[in-house]
């Protein structure tokens, strides 16, 4: 910690950053603690993962754009533990989705903030409802509902099953006012959540289910879901593999991933 704390290593591809610094650091790591490695090419995991595993660490590789190569799924909606965290989830997705659209299109995105602020209570209501009562319990299920339903009264009738969802919807309804405004808000919301319409992201963030013979029904397979608390349960080397060229595109999901990761552990540092 005295030698390597707060160090930035900068150099072009092939200059030896991984060979001379990152790989030696990983091979010399304290295997009694967990750590997170940003590994865009998967090279660090490939070269150090087997050794860390031999030392008793759990090695987890997260590749959102390669869902077929992941042992775990990551469902941000199920990681959120309370209503406050669900609201943070809605806010992070919409704000970072807007930034991703700006970066990819080159536009300034001026004037969108007001529409985003009006969209958050609606998205929050949908996420809250489908977290508790959805068949799939995913972000996409909430998005599909918002995109499909055009009538405020029908939305309100659906959300009546959940008090928190209904309260947030009524906040939204106060600002939306009419179906015409709802259409405009939905247009903004749609453009900012488009990453979650990507088939690979849908596969990566889905909920795995299994048949529970004891309870006699279908339940969530917790063993297949990645949760940040795993890093506290057992020393874990977590490798996050997102190509640099996809960082803007992936920001709505990865901002949520790292936010949930940090929030999950910060309370133990205070």
């Amino acid at each position: 910690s005295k030698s390597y704390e707060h160090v930035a290593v900068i150099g072009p591809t092939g200059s030896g950053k991984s060979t001379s610094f990152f790989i030696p650091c990983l091979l010399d790591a304290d295997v009694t603690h967990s750590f997170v490695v940003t590994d865009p090419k998967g090279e660090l995991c490939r070269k150090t993962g087997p050794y860390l595993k031999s030392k008793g660490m759990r090695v987890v590789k997260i590749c959102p754009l390669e869902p077929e190569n992941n042992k775990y799924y990551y469902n941000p909606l199920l990681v959120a533990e309370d209503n406050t965290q669900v609201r943070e989830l809605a806010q992070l997705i919409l704000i970072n989705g807007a930034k991703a659209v700006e970066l990819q299109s080159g536009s300034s995105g001026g004037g969108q903030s007001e529409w985003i602020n009006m969209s958050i209570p609606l998205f929050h209501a949908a996420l809250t409802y489908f977290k508790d009562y959805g068949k799939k319990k995913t972000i996409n299920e909430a998005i599909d509902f918002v995109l499909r339903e055009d009538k405020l009264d029908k939305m309100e009738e659906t959300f009546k099953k959940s008090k928190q969802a209904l309260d947030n919807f009524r906040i939204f309804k106060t600002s939306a006012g009419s179906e015409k405004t709802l259409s405009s808000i939905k247009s903004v919301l749609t453009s900012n959540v488009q990453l979650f319409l990507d088939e690979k992201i849908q596969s990566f963030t889905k909920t795995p289910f299994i048949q529970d013979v004891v309870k006699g029904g279908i339940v969530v397979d917790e063993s297949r879901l990645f949760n940040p608390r795993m890093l506290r349960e057992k020393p874990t080397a977590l490798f996050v593999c997102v190509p640099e060229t996809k960082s803007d595109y992936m920001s709505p999901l990865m901002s949520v991933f790292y936010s949930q990761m940090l929030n999950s552990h910060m309370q133990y540092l205070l």
Side-chain angles (χ1 to χ4, degrees), residues 80-94:
E81 296 179 354
D82 54 37
N83 190 51
T84 300
Q85 292 184 14
V86 175
R87 178 177 173 78
E88 289 175 350
L89 175 62
Q91 190 169 334
L92 278 169
I93 290 174
L94 292 177

Side-chain angles (χ1 to χ4, degrees), residues 11 15 19 24 26 28 58 66 75 87 95 153 158 160 166 171-172 183 185 200 203 223 227 229 245 247 256 258 265:
S15 61
T19 303
L26 289 168
D28 193 39
R58 172 168 51 195
E66 299 176 13
N75 185 336
R87 178 177 173 78
I95 291 175
D153 56 344
T158 298
K160 282 182 178 179
L166 184 60
I171 292 172
F172 162 75
S183 177
I185 291 175
K200 292 180 178 179
S203 179
S223 67
N227 193 303
R229 66 171 177 263
T245 55
S247 59
V256 169
Y258 285 115
H265 303 298

Side-chain angles (χ1 to χ4, degrees), residues 87 90-91 94-95 115-125:
R87 178 177 173 78
Q91 190 169 334
L94 292 177
I95 291 175
W115 290 106
I116 291 173
N117 289 334
M118 286 192 290
S119 301
I120 289 172
L122 173 60
F123 196 28
H124 183 188

Side-chain angles (χ1 to χ4, degrees), residues 10-262:
I10 302 169
T13 300
S15 61
K17 300 186 299 297
S18 296
T19 303
S20 62
F21 187 81
F22 295 116
I23 291 176
C25 280
L26 289 168
L27 294 178
D28 193 39
D30 178 356
V31 295
T32 63
H33 295 83
S34 294
F35 48 84
V36 181
V37 184
T38 54
D39 187 15
K41 301 175 183 176
E43 175 190 17
L44 299 177
C45 181
R46 187 169 60 254
K47 292 184 175 179
T48 66
Y51 173 77
L52 295 170
K53 192 173 182 179
S54 73
K55 290 294 183 178
M57 293 197 76
R58 172 168 51 195
V59 176
V60 177
K61 184 179 180 182
I62 295 292
C63 303
L65 293 172
E66 299 176 13
E68 67 281 359
N69 295 327
N70 291 302
K71 180 180 178 181
Y72 297 97
Y73 298 98
Y74 167 60
N75 185 336
L77 188 54
L78 294 184
V79 172
E81 296 179 354
D82 54 37
N83 190 51
T84 300
Q85 292 184 14
V86 175
R87 178 177 173 78
E88 289 175 350
L89 175 62
Q91 190 169 334
L92 278 169
I93 290 174
L94 292 177
I95 291 175
N96 284 280
K99 289 180 180 177
V101 171
E102 289 178 30
L103 289 169
Q104 292 176 75
S105 65
S107 62
S108 63
Q112 266 211 45
S113 59
E114 183 178 350
W115 290 106
I116 291 173
N117 289 334
M118 286 192 290
S119 301
I120 289 172
L122 173 60
F123 196 28
H124 183 188
L127 290 173
T128 300
Y129 177 83
F130 287 98
K131 175 180 169 64
D132 293 332
Y133 300 106
K135 292 181 179 179
K136 299 178 181 178
K137 299 182 180 297
T138 62
I139 292 172
N140 283 91
E141 192 173 16
I143 292 172
D144 289 343
F145 173 78
V146 172
L147 298 185
R148 184 180 67 252
E149 188 52 72
D150 293 322
K151 300 297 181 182
L152 290 171
D153 56 344
K154 289 185 178 180
M155 282 187 169
E156 187 167 6
E157 187 63 32
T158 298
F159 291 140
K160 282 182 178 179
K161 200 171 182 179
S162 167
K163 182 183 182 306
Q164 290 180 333
L166 184 60
D167 288 345
N168 279 286
F169 178 73
R170 286 174 173 168
I171 292 172
F172 162 75
K173 192 176 178 181
T174 301
S175 61
S178 67
E179 264 78 21
K180 183 177 181 180
T181 309
L182 171 63
S183 177
S184 298
I185 291 175
K186 284 171 63 174
S187 176
V188 172
L189 192 150
T190 302
S191 67
N192 295 340
V193 299
Q194 56 187 289
L195 171 67
F196 292 89
L197 304 180
D198 185 310
E199 291 183 358
K200 292 180 178 179
I201 302 304
Q202 288 188 42
S203 179
F204 176 61
T205 58
K206 75 177 184 180
T207 306
F209 292 96
I210 55 172
Q211 181 73 40
D212 191 318
V213 294
V214 176
K215 296 181 180 179
I218 302 296
V219 298
V220 176
D221 183 2
E222 299 282 354
S223 67
R224 298 291 309 283
L225 281 173
F226 173 78
N227 193 303
R229 66 171 177 263
M230 291 169 58
L231 277 70
R232 296 196 306 272
E233 297 167 353
K234 178 181 178 178
T236 301
L238 174 63
F239 294 86
V240 184
C241 305
V242 176
E244 298 101 319
T245 55
K246 296 293 185 180
S247 59
D248 291 343
Y249 177 68
M250 292 293 294
S251 62
L253 176 63
M254 299 316 297
S255 63
V256 169
F257 179 86
Y258 285 115
S259 177
Q260 290 186 328
M261 175 71 65
L262 293 171

